[in-house]
Amino acid sequence: MKDLFTTGEAAKVCKVSQQTIIRCFDSGRLKGFRVPGSKFRRIPLQSLVKFMKDNNIPLDTLDSGKRKILVVDDDAEIVELIVDVLGRDGRFETKTASSGYEAGIATQRYRPELILLDYMLPDVNGNIVCQTIRENPEFENIKIIIVSGVVKQDEIDRLLKSGAQDFIKKPFDIAELIDRISSALQIK
């Protein structure tokens, strides 16, 4: 998928005229930048997505239409299981990360709608990842579901306070996992 759009490309994606995109850009409603030394405007992907969401423009012309999920877990078997299940469901596109550091990079690049996050990662715990994501206004709409088997109720409460929407205990039921993801993303 492209990371940068011209006004003409953005107009096609949004199914509006190029002039409409230019007016929105010039008024500041659509964020971007001008190419130095020219009049050409460029719109970063995340700005276009925000503009589309703010204006109730369907995102289906932007990508596959599948909901983007980042699976963060250092257990390769769990990751493989989740990716396989979500892939077979057909409504989800997935990327994976096995540490908090990788999760940060993947969140920045991939811009998931939802993160399935293991609590105990090799470099940091889920609280830190949640707090870091929540501190960035660009990620305010990302849903986070913690998936873990080593958490006590007070730790669950702290995770929910640090920005997670939900908690699923390992081992989990596949149908319940899909239901919780669907609920968080408001998919029927």
Coordinates of all heavy atoms in Angstrom, one line a residue, residues 99-174:
S99 N 8.2 -8.7 20.3 CA 8.7 -7.9 21.5 C 8.0 -6.5 21.5 O 7.3 -6.1 20.5 CB 10.2 -7.7 21.3 OG 10.5 -6.8 20.3
G100 N 8.1 -5.8 22.6 CA 7.5 -4.5 22.7 C 8.2 -3.6 21.7 O 7.5 -2.7 21.1
Y101 N 9.5 -3.7 21.5 CA 10.2 -2.8 20.6 C 9.6 -3.1 19.2 O 9.3 -2.1 18.5 CB 11.7 -3.1 20.6 CG 12.5 -2.4 19.6 CD1 12.7 -1.0 19.8 CD2 12.9 -3.0 18.4 CE1 13.4 -0.3 18.8 CE2 13.6 -2.3 17.5 CZ 13.9 -0.9 17.7 OH 14.6 -0.2 16.8
E102 N 9.5 -4.3 18.8 CA 8.9 -4.6 17.4 C 7.5 -4.1 17.3 O 7.0 -3.7 16.3 CB 9.0 -6.1 17.2 CG 10.3 -6.7 16.8 CD 10.3 -8.2 16.6 OE1 9.2 -8.8 16.3 OE2 11.4 -8.8 16.7
A103 N 6.7 -4.2 18.4 CA 5.3 -3.8 18.4 C 5.3 -2.3 18.2 O 4.4 -1.8 17.4 CB 4.7 -4.1 19.8
G104 N 6.2 -1.5 18.7 CA 6.2 -0.1 18.5 C 6.5 0.2 17.0 O 5.8 1.1 16.4
I105 N 7.4 -0.4 16.5 CA 7.8 -0.2 15.0 C 6.6 -0.6 14.2 O 6.2 0.1 13.2 CB 9.1 -0.9 14.6 CG1 10.3 -0.3 15.4 CG2 9.3 -0.9 13.1 CD1 11.5 -1.1 15.2
A106 N 6.0 -1.8 14.4 CA 4.9 -2.3 13.6 C 3.7 -1.4 13.7 O 3.0 -1.2 12.8 CB 4.6 -3.7 14.0
T107 N 3.4 -0.9 14.9 CA 2.3 0.0 15.1 C 2.5 1.3 14.3 O 1.5 1.7 13.6 CB 2.1 0.4 16.6 OG1 1.9 -0.8 17.4 CG2 0.9 1.3 16.8
Q108 N 3.7 1.8 14.3 CA 4.0 3.0 13.5 C 3.8 2.8 12.0 O 3.2 3.6 11.3 CB 5.4 3.5 13.8 CG 5.7 4.9 13.3 CD 5.0 6.0 14.0 OE1 4.8 5.9 15.2 NE2 4.6 7.0 13.3
R109 N 4.3 1.7 11.5 CA 4.3 1.4 10.1 C 3.0 0.8 9.6 O 2.5 1.2 8.5 CB 5.4 0.4 9.7 CG 6.8 1.0 9.8 CD 7.8 0.1 9.3 NE 9.1 0.7 9.4 CZ 10.3 0.0 9.5 NH1 10.3 -1.3 9.6 NH2 11.4 0.6 9.6
Y110 N 2.4 -0.1 10.3 CA 1.3 -0.9 9.9 C 0.0 -0.2 10.2 O -1.0 -0.4 9.5 CB 1.3 -2.3 10.5 CG 0.3 -3.2 10.1 CD1 0.0 -3.6 8.8 CD2 -0.5 -3.9 11.1 CE1 -1.0 -4.5 8.5 CE2 -1.5 -4.8 10.8 CZ -1.7 -5.1 9.5 OH -2.7 -6.0 9.1
R111 N -0.1 0.6 11.2 CA -1.3 1.3 11.7 C -2.5 0.4 11.8 O -3.5 0.5 11.2 CB -1.7 2.4 10.7 CG -0.6 3.4 10.4 CD -0.4 4.3 11.6 NE 0.7 5.2 11.3 CZ 0.9 6.3 12.0 NH1 0.0 6.7 12.8 NH2 1.9 7.1 11.7
P112 N -2.3 -0.6 12.8 CA -3.4 -1.6 13.0 C -4.6 -0.9 13.6 O -4.5 0.2 14.3 CB -2.8 -2.6 13.9 CG -1.8 -1.8 14.7 CD -1.2 -0.8 13.7
E113 N -5.8 -1.5 13.4 CA -7.0 -1.0 14.1 C -7.1 -1.7 15.5 O -7.7 -1.1 16.4 CB -8.2 -1.4 13.3 CG -8.3 -0.7 12.0 CD -9.5 -1.2 11.2 OE1 -10.6 -0.9 11.6 OE2 -9.3 -1.8 10.2
L114 N -6.5 -2.8 15.6 CA -6.5 -3.6 16.9 C -5.2 -4.3 17.1 O -4.6 -4.8 16.2 CB -7.6 -4.6 16.9 CG -7.9 -5.4 18.2 CD1 -9.4 -5.5 18.5 CD2 -7.3 -6.8 18.1
I115 N -4.7 -4.3 18.4 CA -3.5 -5.0 18.8 C -3.9 -6.1 19.8 O -4.5 -5.8 20.8 CB -2.5 -4.1 19.4 CG1 -2.1 -3.0 18.4 CG2 -1.3 -4.9 19.9 CD1 -1.2 -1.9 19.0
L116 N -3.6 -7.4 19.4 CA -3.7 -8.5 20.4 C -2.3 -8.5 21.1 O -1.3 -8.8 20.4 CB -4.0 -9.8 19.7 CG -5.4 -9.9 19.1 CD1 -5.5 -11.2 18.4 CD2 -6.4 -9.9 20.2
L117 N -2.2 -8.2 22.3 CA -1.0 -8.0 23.0 C -0.8 -9.0 24.2 O -1.6 -9.0 25.1 CB -1.0 -6.6 23.5 CG 0.2 -6.1 24.3 CD1 1.5 -6.1 23.5 CD2 0.0 -4.7 24.8
D118 N 0.3 -9.7 24.1 CA 0.7 -10.6 25.2 C 1.2 -9.7 26.4 O 1.9 -8.7 26.1 CB 1.8 -11.5 24.8 CG 2.3 -12.5 25.9 OD1 1.4 -12.8 26.8 OD2 3.4 -13.0 25.8
Y119 N 0.9 -10.1 27.6 CA 1.3 -9.3 28.7 C 2.8 -9.4 29.0 O 3.5 -8.4 29.3 CB 0.5 -9.7 30.0 CG 0.9 -8.9 31.2 CD1 0.7 -7.6 31.3 CD2 1.4 -9.6 32.3 CE1 1.0 -6.9 32.5 CE2 1.8 -8.9 33.5 CZ 1.6 -7.6 33.5 OH 2.0 -6.9 34.7
M120 N 3.3 -10.6 29.0 CA 4.7 -10.9 29.3 C 5.5 -11.0 28.0 O 5.6 -12.0 27.4 CB 4.8 -12.1 30.1 CG 4.1 -12.1 31.5 SD 4.8 -10.8 32.6 CE 6.3 -11.6 33.1
L121 N 6.2 -9.9 27.6 CA 7.1 -9.9 26.5 C 8.5 -10.0 27.0 O 8.8 -9.6 28.1 CB 6.8 -8.7 25.6 CG 5.4 -8.6 25.0 CD1 5.2 -7.2 24.4 CD2 5.3 -9.6 23.9
P122 N 9.4 -10.3 26.1 CA 10.8 -10.5 26.6 C 11.5 -9.2 27.0 O 12.4 -9.2 27.8 CB 11.6 -11.0 25.3 CG 10.6 -11.0 24.2 CD 9.3 -10.7 24.7
D123 N 11.0 -8.0 26.5 CA 11.7 -6.8 26.8 C 10.9 -5.8 27.7 O 11.5 -5.1 28.5 CB 12.1 -6.0 25.5 CG 11.0 -5.8 24.5 OD1 9.9 -6.4 24.7 OD2 11.1 -5.1 23.5
V124 N 9.6 -5.9 27.6 CA 8.7 -5.0 28.5 C 7.4 -5.7 28.7 O 7.1 -6.8 28.1 CB 8.4 -3.6 27.8 CG1 9.6 -2.8 27.6 CG2 7.6 -3.8 26.5
N125 N 6.6 -5.2 29.7 CA 5.3 -5.8 29.9 C 4.2 -5.0 29.2 O 4.4 -3.9 28.7 CB 5.0 -6.0 31.4 CG 4.8 -4.7 32.1 OD1 4.3 -3.8 31.6 ND2 5.2 -4.7 33.4
G126 N 3.0 -5.6 29.1 CA 1.9 -5.0 28.4 C 1.5 -3.6 28.9 O 1.1 -2.8 28.1
N127 N 1.7 -3.4 30.2 CA 1.4 -2.0 30.7 C 2.2 -0.9 29.9 O 1.6 0.1 29.5 CB 1.7 -1.9 32.2 CG 0.7 -2.6 33.1 OD1 -0.2 -3.3 32.6 ND2 0.9 -2.5 34.3
I128 N 3.5 -1.2 29.8 CA 4.4 -0.2 29.1 C 3.9 0.0 27.7 O 3.9 1.1 27.2 CB 5.8 -0.7 29.2 CG1 6.3 -0.9 30.7 CG2 6.7 0.3 28.5 CD1 6.2 0.3 31.5
V129 N 3.7 -1.1 27.0 CA 3.2 -1.0 25.6 C 1.9 -0.2 25.5 O 1.8 0.7 24.6 CB 3.1 -2.4 24.9 CG1 2.6 -2.3 23.5 CG2 4.5 -3.1 25.0
C130 N 1.0 -0.6 26.3 CA -0.3 0.2 26.3 C -0.1 1.6 26.6 O -0.6 2.5 25.8 CB -1.3 -0.4 27.4 SG -2.1 -1.9 27.0
Q131 N 0.6 2.0 27.6 CA 0.9 3.4 27.9 C 1.6 4.1 26.8 O 1.2 5.3 26.5 CB 1.7 3.5 29.2 CG 0.9 3.1 30.5 CD 1.8 2.9 31.7 OE1 3.0 3.0 31.6 NE2 1.2 2.6 32.8
T132 N 2.5 3.5 26.2 CA 3.3 4.1 25.1 C 2.4 4.4 23.9 O 2.4 5.5 23.3 CB 4.5 3.2 24.7 OG1 5.3 3.0 25.8 CG2 5.3 3.9 23.6
I133 N 1.5 3.5 23.6 CA 0.6 3.6 22.5 C -0.4 4.7 22.8 O -0.7 5.6 22.0 CB -0.1 2.3 22.1 CG1 0.9 1.4 21.5 CG2 -1.4 2.5 21.2 CD1 0.4 0.0 21.3
R134 N -0.9 4.7 24.1 CA -1.9 5.7 24.5 C -1.4 7.1 24.6 O -2.1 8.1 24.5 CB -2.6 5.3 25.8 CG -3.5 4.1 25.7 CD -4.7 4.4 24.8 NE -5.3 3.2 24.4 CZ -5.5 2.8 23.2 NH1 -5.1 3.5 22.2 NH2 -6.1 1.6 22.9
E135 N -0.1 7.3 24.8 CA 0.5 8.6 24.8 C 0.6 9.3 23.5 O 0.8 10.5 23.4 CB 1.9 8.5 25.5 CG 1.9 8.2 26.9 CD 3.3 7.9 27.5 OE1 4.3 7.9 26.8 OE2 3.3 7.6 28.7
N136 N 0.5 8.5 22.4 CA 0.6 9.0 21.0 C -0.8 9.3 20.5 O -1.5 8.4 20.2 CB 1.4 8.1 20.1 CG 1.7 8.6 18.8 OD1 1.0 9.5 18.3 ND2 2.7 8.1 18.2
P137 N -1.2 10.6 20.3 CA -2.5 10.9 19.8 C -2.8 10.3 18.4 O -4.0 10.0 18.1 CB -2.5 12.4 19.7 CG -1.2 12.9 20.2 CD -0.3 11.8 20.5
E138 N -1.8 10.0 17.6 CA -2.0 9.3 16.3 C -2.7 7.9 16.5 O -3.3 7.4 15.6 CB -0.7 9.1 15.6 CG -0.1 10.4 15.0 CD 1.1 10.1 14.2 OE1 1.1 9.2 13.3 OE2 2.1 10.7 14.4
F139 N -2.5 7.3 17.7 CA -2.9 5.9 17.9 C -4.2 5.9 18.8 O -4.5 4.8 19.3 CB -1.8 5.1 18.5 CG -0.5 5.1 17.7 CD1 0.7 5.0 18.4 CD2 -0.6 5.1 16.3 CE1 1.9 5.0 17.6 CE2 0.6 5.1 15.6 CZ 1.8 5.0 16.3
E140 N -4.8 7.0 19.0 CA -5.9 7.0 20.0 C -7.1 6.1 19.6 O -7.8 5.6 20.5 CB -6.5 8.4 20.1 CG -7.1 9.0 18.9 CD -7.5 10.5 19.1 OE1 -7.4 11.0 20.2 OE2 -8.0 11.1 18.0
N141 N -7.2 5.7 18.3 CA -8.3 4.9 17.9 C -8.0 3.4 17.9 O -8.8 2.5 17.6 CB -8.9 5.3 16.5 CG -9.5 6.7 16.6 OD1 -10.2 7.0 17.6 ND2 -9.3 7.5 15.6
I142 N -6.7 3.1 18.1 CA -6.3 1.6 18.1 C -6.9 0.9 19.4 O -6.7 1.4 20.5 CB -4.8 1.5 18.1 CG1 -4.2 2.1 16.8 CG2 -4.4 0.0 18.2 CD1 -2.7 2.1 16.7
K143 N -7.5 -0.2 19.1 CA -8.0 -1.0 20.2 C -6.9 -1.9 20.7 O -6.2 -2.4 19.8 CB -9.3 -1.8 19.8 CG -10.4 -1.0 19.1 CD -11.0 0.0 20.1 CE -12.2 0.7 19.5 NZ -12.2 2.1 19.7
I144 N -6.9 -2.2 22.0 CA -5.9 -3.2 22.5 C -6.6 -4.2 23.3 O -7.3 -3.9 24.2 CB -4.8 -2.4 23.3 CG1 -4.1 -1.3 22.5 CG2 -3.8 -3.5 23.9 CD1 -3.2 -0.4 23.4
I145 N -6.3 -5.5 23.0 CA -6.8 -6.6 23.8 C -5.6 -7.4 24.3 O -4.8 -7.8 23.5 CB -7.7 -7.6 23.0 CG1 -9.0 -6.8 22.4 CG2 -8.1 -8.8 23.8 CD1 -9.8 -7.7 21.5
I146 N -5.5 -7.5 25.6 CA -4.4 -8.2 26.2 C -4.8 -9.7 26.2 O -5.9 -10.1 26.6 CB -4.2 -7.7 27.7 CG1 -3.9 -6.2 27.8 CG2 -3.0 -8.5 28.4 CD1 -2.5 -5.8 27.2
V147 N -3.8 -10.5 25.8 CA -4.0 -12.0 25.9 C -2.8 -12.5 26.7 O -1.7 -12.4 26.4 CB -3.9 -12.6 24.4 CG1 -4.1 -14.0 24.4 CG2 -4.9 -11.9 23.5
S148 N -3.2 -13.1 27.9 CA -2.1 -13.6 28.7 C -2.7 -14.7 29.7 O -3.8 -14.8 30.0 CB -1.6 -12.5 29.6 OG -0.5 -12.9 30.3
G149 N -1.7 -15.5 30.2 CA -2.1 -16.6 31.1 C -1.5 -16.3 32.5 O -1.8 -17.1 33.4
V150 N -0.7 -15.3 32.7 CA 0.0 -15.1 33.9 C -0.4 -13.8 34.6 O 0.5 -13.1 35.1 CB 1.5 -15.1 33.7 CG1 2.0 -16.5 33.2 CG2 1.9 -14.1 32.6
V151 N -1.6 -13.5 34.6 CA -2.0 -12.2 35.2 C -3.1 -12.4 36.3 O -4.0 -13.1 36.2 CB -2.6 -11.3 34.0 CG1 -3.1 -10.0 34.6 CG2 -1.6 -11.1 33.0
K152 N -2.9 -11.6 37.4 CA -3.8 -11.6 38.5 C -4.8 -10.5 38.3 O -4.6 -9.6 37.5 CB -3.1 -11.4 39.8 CG -2.0 -12.5 40.1 CD -1.3 -12.2 41.4 CE -0.1 -13.0 41.6 NZ 1.1 -12.3 41.2
Q153 N -5.9 -10.5 39.0 CA -7.0 -9.5 38.8 C -6.5 -8.1 39.0 O -6.9 -7.2 38.2 CB -8.1 -9.8 39.8 CG -9.4 -8.9 39.5 CD -9.9 -9.1 38.1 OE1 -10.1 -10.2 37.6 NE2 -10.2 -8.0 37.4
D154 N -5.6 -7.8 40.0 CA -5.1 -6.5 40.1 C -4.3 -6.0 38.9 O -4.3 -4.9 38.5 CB -4.4 -6.3 41.4 CG -3.1 -7.1 41.5 OD1 -3.1 -8.3 41.0 OD2 -2.1 -6.7 42.2
E155 N -3.5 -7.0 38.3 CA -2.8 -6.7 37.1 C -3.7 -6.4 35.9 O -3.5 -5.5 35.1 CB -1.8 -7.8 36.8 CG -0.7 -8.0 37.8 CD 0.2 -9.2 37.6 OE1 -0.4 -10.3 37.5 OE2 1.4 -9.1 37.6
I156 N -4.8 -7.2 35.8 CA -5.8 -7.0 34.8 C -6.4 -5.6 34.9 O -6.5 -4.8 33.9 CB -6.9 -8.0 34.8 CG1 -6.4 -9.4 34.5 CG2 -8.1 -7.7 33.9 CD1 -7.4 -10.6 34.8
D157 N -6.7 -5.2 36.1 CA -7.2 -3.8 36.4 C -6.3 -2.8 35.9 O -6.6 -1.8 35.3 CB -7.6 -3.7 37.9 CG -8.8 -4.6 38.3 OD1 -9.5 -5.0 37.4 OD2 -8.9 -4.8 39.5
R158 N -5.0 -3.0 36.3 CA -3.9 -2.0 35.9 C -3.8 -1.9 34.3 O -3.7 -0.8 33.8 CB -2.6 -2.3 36.5 CG -2.4 -1.8 37.9 CD -0.9 -1.8 38.3 NE -0.3 -3.0 38.2 CZ -0.3 -4.0 39.1 NH1 -0.9 -3.8 40.3 NH2 0.4 -5.1 39.0
L159 N -3.9 -3.1 33.7 CA -3.9 -3.1 32.2 C -5.0 -2.3 31.6 O -4.8 -1.5 30.6 CB -3.9 -4.5 31.7 CG -2.6 -5.3 31.8 CD1 -2.8 -6.8 31.7 CD2 -1.6 -4.8 30.8
L160 N -6.2 -2.5 32.1 CA -7.4 -1.8 31.6 C -7.2 -0.3 31.9 O -7.6 0.5 31.0 CB -8.6 -2.4 32.2 CG -8.9 -3.8 31.8 CD1 -10.1 -4.4 32.6 CD2 -9.1 -4.0 30.3
K161 N -6.6 0.1 33.0 CA -6.4 1.5 33.3 C -5.4 2.1 32.4 O -5.4 3.3 32.1 CB -6.0 1.7 34.7 CG -7.2 1.6 35.7 CD -6.7 1.9 37.1 CE -7.9 1.6 38.1 NZ -7.5 1.3 39.4
S162 N -4.4 1.3 31.9 CA -3.3 1.8 31.1 C -3.7 1.9 29.6 O -2.9 2.3 28.8 CB -2.0 1.0 31.3 OG -2.2 -0.3 30.8
G163 N -4.9 1.4 29.3 CA -5.3 1.7 27.9 C -5.9 0.5 27.1 O -6.3 0.6 26.0
A164 N -5.8 -0.7 27.8 CA -6.4 -1.9 27.1 C -7.9 -1.9 27.2 O -8.5 -1.4 28.1 CB -5.9 -3.2 27.7
Q165 N -8.6 -2.3 26.1 CA -10.1 -2.4 26.1 C -10.6 -3.7 26.7 O -11.7 -3.7 27.3 CB -10.6 -2.4 24.7 CG -10.8 -1.0 24.1 CD -9.5 -0.3 23.8 OE1 -8.5 -0.9 23.4 NE2 -9.5 1.0 24.1
D166 N -9.8 -4.7 26.6 CA -10.3 -6.0 27.0 C -9.1 -6.9 27.4 O -7.9 -6.6 27.1 CB -11.0 -6.7 25.8 CG -12.0 -7.7 26.3 OD1 -12.1 -8.1 27.5 OD2 -12.8 -8.2 25.4
F167 N -9.4 -8.0 28.1 CA -8.4 -9.0 28.5 C -9.0 -10.4 28.2 O -10.1 -10.7 28.5 CB -8.2 -8.9 30.0 CG -7.3 -9.9 30.6 CD1 -5.9 -9.8 30.5 CD2 -7.8 -11.1 31.1 CE1 -5.1 -10.8 31.0 CE2 -7.0 -12.1 31.6 CZ -5.6 -11.9 31.5
I168 N -8.1 -11.2 27.6 CA -8.5 -12.6 27.4 C -7.4 -13.5 28.0 O -6.2 -13.3 27.8 CB -8.6 -12.9 25.9 CG1 -9.6 -12.1 25.2 CG2 -8.9 -14.4 25.6 CD1 -9.7 -12.2 23.7
K169 N -7.9 -14.5 28.8 CA -6.9 -15.4 29.5 C -6.5 -16.5 28.6 O -7.4 -17.1 28.0 CB -7.6 -15.9 30.8 CG -6.6 -16.7 31.7 CD -7.1 -16.7 33.1 CE -6.2 -17.6 34.0 NZ -4.8 -17.3 33.9
K170 N -5.2 -16.8 28.6 CA -4.7 -18.0 28.0 C -4.9 -19.2 28.9 O -4.7 -19.0 30.1 CB -3.2 -17.9 27.6 CG -2.9 -16.9 26.5 CD -1.4 -16.9 26.3 CE -0.9 -15.9 25.4 NZ 0.6 -15.8 25.3
P171 N -5.2 -20.4 28.4 CA -5.6 -20.7 27.1 C -6.9 -20.1 26.8 O -7.8 -20.1 27.6 CB -5.6 -22.2 27.0 CG -5.8 -22.6 28.4 CD -5.2 -21.6 29.3
F172 N -7.2 -19.7 25.5 CA -8.4 -19.1 25.2 C -9.2 -19.9 24.2 O -8.6 -20.8 23.5 CB -8.2 -17.7 24.6 CG -7.2 -17.7 23.5 CD1 -7.5 -18.0 22.2 CD2 -5.8 -17.3 23.7 CE1 -6.6 -18.0 21.1 CE2 -4.9 -17.3 22.7 CZ -5.3 -17.7 21.4
D173 N -10.5 -19.7 24.1 CA -11.4 -20.3 23.2 C -11.3 -19.5 21.9 O -11.5 -18.3 21.9 CB -12.8 -20.4 23.8 CG -13.8 -21.0 22.8 OD1 -13.7 -22.2 22.6 OD2 -14.6 -20.2 22.3
I174 N -11.1 -20.2 20.8 CA -11.0 -19.5 19.5 C -12.3 -18.7 19.2 O -12.2 -17.5 18.8 CB -10.8 -20.5 18.3 CG1 -9.4 -21.2 18.5 CG2 -10.8 -19.8 17.0 CD1 -8.2 -20.4 18.5

